[in-house]
Amino acid sequence: MSSKKEKKLKFNAAWDLDPAPEDSKHVSIKKQYDLFINGEFVKPNSKKYFATYNPATDEKISEVADADEKDVDKAVKAARAAFGKWSKLSGKERGKYIYRIARLMQERAREFAVIETMDGGKPIRESRDIDVPLAANHFFYYAGWADKLEYAFPNRNPKPLGVAGQIIPWNFPLLMAAWKIAPALAAGNTVVLKPAETTPLTALKLAELIRDSGLPKGVVNIITGAGKTGAAIVNHPDIDKIAFTGSTNVGKWIQKSIAGTDKKCTLELGGKAANIIFEDAPLDQAVEGIINGIFFNQGHVCCAGSRLFVQESVADIVIRKLKDRMETLRVGDPMDKNTDIGAINSKQQLLKIQEYIEIGKNEGGEIYQPSCSLPKKGNFCKPTIFLNVSQSHRIVQEEIFGPVLAIQTFRTIEEVIEKANNIPYGLSAGVWTDKGSKIFNLTSKLKAGVVWANTYNKFDPTSPFGGYKESGFGREGGLHGLGAYLTI
Ligand code: NAP
Ligand code: MG
């Protein structure tokens, strides 16, 4: 293609929200990324870099800097220096910057979507229609609160906490960065954020966007690295708040590490949600809800509906419809806009899922997978359901974080409430029924931070999200999410 044509394509790209597979050649990804500290990209202290791969092709996409304790210290110092001015800026001025970030994200939506899919493996349809628009919406939503903190928390003298250390996972890389950064800035805090090792690229694109937005230097710092970089953020003495989304194990370690300090903390951890189908539910819609609940983002979703409970009287018909629907799912190239299930985020995660599938079979579960074929290269897993499982099975109790559903039946409402709650997690749940009274009855008894009724996996910046028990504490989203970045 001539370079003139190529330029035109690039120019149009930001407005064209319908990327074709070959468009991945027309997003700009650098060969190497440095750390974003104090408004500029700087080399890591160790001079070390690590590769990030496309999980659908196993190809290396780029390499990113490996931040050590010295880099973390530099980022925290930049955030501390910026905090003085940023926290004293009027809410209206802060809001202007956050609106600008939101608008720039909309303008570059296509590029963000393509990079998110290349780096993480999720279907382009999801990054394009869900992740990126929702991330921009979070910035829009919290920009609106920046000059209304006094109204949001009347007579409570809301003040920012200081420097927030934010650590995010690989399943919704850009969206989790937005969930963390937008409320922190609106409340007047400054930020040091670390994306996950396997999906750093959209956070680094966001760093470029933030630089271009003219946000004062040091207000947002984005540093890449592995678990030890995250640990260095947690342990840094000049961090005022830790906001973490990730596994329950690391969440527990963080809580121990900050015990005895006055660091504030919110933890968004794992889940194993019950998706409950009553006999009076609209069954075809419920089947779509089951599919979306467990196969959205390859099941790499903390609130995935990974335990299905179907009322006995409709179990046969629901399972038949579910199997038929699974036959139609397209597993494969995440850049193809017709793909339903993309690539598993990493080899390591694929091995974990495959191990759980073996465990499920060995425990006596009856496995069903559709007849689809998987691509030869890359990390792929067939959508999988297990029948004939019970509460004691490991695939019922443990978070798999993949496209694997454990199915049980129930007779009475009391029975299903008990089974749904009999789990270490308490993040989310789904209820499908025609009766409003049943919904109210159940939602008050299910120990879950979010309960969806006759829908599943719906997210909105205005609505708080978070867990009970081993799913963590604190809420993100809505006013609750704003309050978590203020002393009130
Ligand atoms: P993870 O291993 O806990 O990693 C999450 C983040 O923490 C990554 O950036 C990771 O860096 C970093 N990290 C690892 N060890 C650390 C340490 N000792 N100190 C500080 N940071 C550390 O979790 P994951 O496997 O990436 O993500 C999957 C888990 O996240 C699932 O359990 C899922 O349920 C949970 N999750 C929860 C929510 C929610 O809102 N509740 C949302 C999404 C995911 P590296 O990437 O370099 O290891
Ligand atoms: Mg990657």
Side-chain angles (χ1 to χ4, degrees):
M1 192 189 294
S2 78
S3 72
K4 206 172 163 192
K5 253 191 188 165
E6 206 169 289
K7 265 192 197 131
K8 186 152 179 278
L9 223 167
K10 266 191 188 169
F11 180 74
N12 281 336
W15 286 269
D16 174 13
L17 285 176
D18 200 11
E22 70 272 18
D23 278 1
S24 58
K25 296 189 186 73
H26 303 287
V27 297
S28 99
I29 299 176
K30 286 192 273 189
K31 281 211 165 90
Q32 193 177 74
Y33 284 90
D34 289 320
L35 305 169
F36 184 66
I37 298 177
N38 205 25
E40 49 191 87
F41 285 92
V42 296
K43 299 253 171 267
N45 172 57
S46 67
K47 310 273 184 308
K48 283 188 196 145
Y49 293 81
F50 60 91
T52 183
Y53 296 90
N54 181 335
T57 61
D58 295 329
E59 282 160 17
K60 176 173 158 182
I61 312 175
S62 177
E63 50 186 47
V64 304
D66 190 5
D68 65 14
E69 283 172 10
K70 285 199 173 134
D71 300 304
V72 169
D73 186 54
K74 202 168 166 183
V76 174
K77 285 202 167 96
R80 177 61 60 193
F83 178 66
K85 274 193 188 161
W86 178 249
S87 58
K88 288 188 189 71
L89 212 61
S90 72
K92 193 170 164 199
E93 285 305 308
R94 282 204 312 276
K96 277 188 200 167
Y97 285 111
I98 307 170
Y99 276 125
R100 198 177 297 154
I101 293 171
R103 284 196 302 269
L104 283 172
M105 192 174 283
Q106 283 185 322
E107 278 176 26
R108 300 178 192 182
R110 184 193 149 280
E111 196 176 16
F112 273 107
V114 170
I115 296 173
E116 195 73 313
T117 284
M118 286 174 72
D119 202 18
K122 65 175 67 201
I124 188 70
R125 210 177 51 210
E126 290 178 13
S127 29
R128 182 193 66 184
D129 297 348
I130 298 170
D131 294 59
V132 180
L134 255 180
N137 277 348
H138 269 267
F139 282 104
F140 276 117
Y141 172 73
Y142 282 110
W145 278 122
D147 62 350
K148 301 175 194 70
L149 300 181
E150 298 289 343
Y151 299 93
F153 305 98
N155 306 319
R156 296 178 67 185
N157 194 23
K159 290 274 177 288
L161 301 173
V163 178
Q166 307 182 319
I167 301 164
I168 57 174
W170 42 260
N171 57 343
F172 294 93
L174 181 68
L175 184 60
M176 288 299 115
W179 277 31
K180 297 273 181 289
I181 296 173
L185 297 193
N189 303 274
T190 56
V191 162
V192 176
L193 175 127
K194 187 195 96 66
E197 218 175 320
T198 57
T199 54
L201 294 182
T202 44
L204 291 162
K205 271 281 148 191
L206 178 60
E208 290 178 351
L209 181 159
I210 285 171
R211 179 197 58 195
D212 299 348
S213 77
L215 187 78
K217 287 179 194 291
V219 172
V220 172
N221 305 275
I222 297 181
I223 58 173
T224 44
K228 65 175 180 9
T229 313
I233 295 177
V234 171
N235 289 327
H236 195 287
D238 202 29
I239 291 270
D240 299 292
K241 152 144 190 156
I242 296 292
F244 172 79
T245 299
S247 61
T248 298
N249 278 345
V250 175
K252 284 179 179 172
W253 176 84
I254 289 177
Q255 229 188 331
K256 279 186 209 144
S257 308
I258 62 168
T261 72
D262 51 13
K263 287 174 189 168
K264 298 247 183 328
C265 184
T266 43
L267 300 176
E268 305 276 359
L269 310 175
K272 189 81 183 177
N275 201 3
I276 302 168
I277 319 289
F278 285 98
E279 60 190 1
D280 58 8
L283 293 186
D284 287 325
Q285 281 174 44
V287 168
E288 286 308 306
I290 298 167
I291 294 278
N292 173 41
I294 186 62
F295 301 131
F296 172 56
N297 197 22
Q298 296 76 244
H300 302 329
V301 182
C302 48
C303 51
S306 49
R307 288 183 299 150
L308 178 67
F309 290 96
V310 192
Q311 199 156 20
E312 218 171 74
S313 49
V314 291
D316 286 348
I317 181 166
V318 167
I319 285 153
R320 200 187 68 229
K321 281 174 185 279
L322 179 60
K323 286 180 174 174
D324 287 350
R325 180 67 175 90
M326 283 170 72
E327 263 311 309
T328 70
L329 291 174
R330 297 176 64 145
V331 187
D333 181 6
M335 290 301 288
D336 181 337
K337 64 188 175 194
N338 295 313
T339 291
D340 298 302
I341 301 180
I344 300 301
N345 184 267
S346 64
K347 275 271 171 304
Q348 197 189 349
Q349 187 61 23
L350 180 61
L351 288 174
K352 180 181 158 189
I353 297 166
Q354 286 167 341
E355 198 183 316
Y356 270 111
I357 291 177
E358 285 312 305
I359 291 171
K361 287 197 249 176
N362 293 336
E363 282 180 325
E366 179 192 326
I367 187 172
Y368 172 81
Q369 294 177 319
S371 59
C372 64
S373 59
L374 299 181
K376 297 265 174 312
K377 269 201 295 184
N379 313 327
F380 290 92
C381 178
K382 282 191 181 188
T384 304
I385 59 175
F386 275 100
L387 298 154
N388 292 334
V389 295
S390 68
Q391 284 294 104
S392 60
H393 284 159
R394 282 184 66 191
I395 58 164
V396 171
Q397 288 292 325
E398 296 173 21
E399 185 183 46
I400 300 173
F401 224 56
V404 182
L405 178 67
I407 305 179
Q408 292 176 266
T409 58
F410 68 94
R411 284 189 185 163
T412 66
I413 192 164
E414 291 75 23
E415 178 191 351
V416 77
I417 290 170
E418 195 186 320
K419 282 183 171 166
N421 287 335
N422 180 10
I423 194 102
Y425 297 107
L427 189 58
S428 59
V431 181
W432 298 80
T433 168
D434 201 27
K435 294 237 167 9
S437 57
K438 227 186 246 169
I439 292 172
F440 286 117
N441 181 11
L442 233 93
T443 48
S444 60
K445 290 180 181 139
L446 289 173
K447 290 198 186 67
V450 182
V451 185
W452 286 289
N454 293 330
T455 185
Y456 207 93
N457 275 338
K458 284 271 182 290
F459 307 98
D460 190 281
T462 63
S463 136
F465 184 90
Y468 292 104
K469 302 195 273 186
E470 295 211 354
S471 293
F473 52 78
R475 295 290 178 268
E476 292 190 306
L479 266 187
H480 295 70
L482 188 63
Y485 284 96
L486 292 162
T487 51
I488 36 176

